[in-house]
Amino acid sequence: AFYNHASKLGGIQLLDLSDPSNPTEMGRFETGDSGIGVRGRGSLAYIAFLNPYTFLGGVHVVDVSDPEDPIRVGTFDTLYDPQSLALDGDYAIAGDGAYGVVIIDLIDPAHPTQAAALDTDGFARDIAVASGRAFVADGEAGLLVLDLSDPSSPTQAGIWSEPGFSVTGVAISGSRAHVTSDSGELAILDLADLAAITPFGRVHLPDAA
């Protein structure tokens, strides 16, 4: 995903990585929007975007089966401050900043619709999905765990927070979560009991993560 401030164009670039030392462009899909992030599944790419003129965003669905000629299939409007995007089956989960989490129904890629929205207590920045749950890096509110068994009505399955630790990023590996903070820390959390998430340990970093 990209945005070119000079040309005022953004979207996605498709790169050939068969020679990792010399990646080459195969094609691109351009809009007037700023590409925030992209996720791929099969022949479709899902691009979270923000329009730099209207300051409204959403998700473009793009057919990349022919990488030299990607074609927009549909668009979801509206997100207000998209920060991240994750996929879970036929749904996308978007971190929408101060507006929380938005779940998007992708069953009909030409007509994506909102399945649910949840106004979280913090600033939803990053999202990871694993085992039917969404793990939301929710800023000062901490790490929020959502049960996605009913995508139209997500429920809180757990939360971890600590004063001064504003969660900016999250990655899941088995029963562990790796979370970063804007104060310069990486914490590793034990997810075995979502009702009592506890840290294994942490590493101090030289700057905000």
Side-chain angles (χ1 to χ4, degrees):
F2 73 92
Y3 182 69
N4 186 313
H5 290 278
S7 65
K8 304 298 183 185
L9 292 174
I12 59 171
Q13 270 183 307
L14 286 85
L15 304 177
D16 182 351
L17 303 178
S18 54
D19 179 0
S21 65
N22 183 35
T24 58
E25 180 179 305
M26 301 175 71
R28 63 171 57 195
F29 171 80
E30 289 186 343
T31 70
D33 303 314
S34 174
I36 302 297
V38 60
R39 293 289 181 266
R41 184 178 60 206
S43 61
L44 296 176
Y46 304 88
I47 312 159
F49 70 87
L50 182 67
N51 187 294
Y53 302 102
T54 65
F55 294 102
L56 293 175
V59 177
H60 289 307
V61 183
V62 180
D63 184 341
V64 294
S65 55
D66 180 357
E68 296 181 358
D69 185 27
I71 299 170
R72 186 174 68 89
V73 175
T75 296
F76 169 80
D77 295 307
T78 299
L79 298 175
Y80 293 98
D81 189 16
Q83 301 286 315
S84 59
L85 190 70
L87 298 179
D88 182 45
D90 290 321
Y91 295 86
I93 298 90
D96 203 18
Y99 299 90
V101 173
V102 177
I103 299 179
I104 304 164
D105 185 335
L106 302 172
I107 292 175
D108 180 359
H111 301 95
T113 58
Q114 179 174 302
L118 180 66
D119 186 6
T120 62
D121 292 333
F123 190 92
R125 299 185 70 168
D126 192 21
I127 294 182
V129 172
S131 302
R133 297 185 177 95
F135 298 82
V136 183
D138 202 27
E140 295 288 345
L143 177 70
L144 174 64
V145 185
L146 298 177
D147 185 338
L148 301 177
S149 54
D150 180 0
S152 66
S153 182
T155 57
Q156 180 174 311
I159 191 167
W160 176 82
S161 64
E162 185 177 280
F165 196 109
S166 179
V167 182
T168 57
V170 56
I172 304 299
S173 177
S175 62
R176 296 181 181 181
H178 304 77
V179 295
T180 54
S181 81
D182 61 6
S183 59
E185 285 187 277
L186 166 70
I188 302 173
L189 309 179
D190 182 357
L191 302 175
D193 182 0
L194 292 178
I197 299 173
T198 55
F200 281 115
R202 64 190 65 218
V203 176
H204 290 278
L205 307 172
D207 208 337

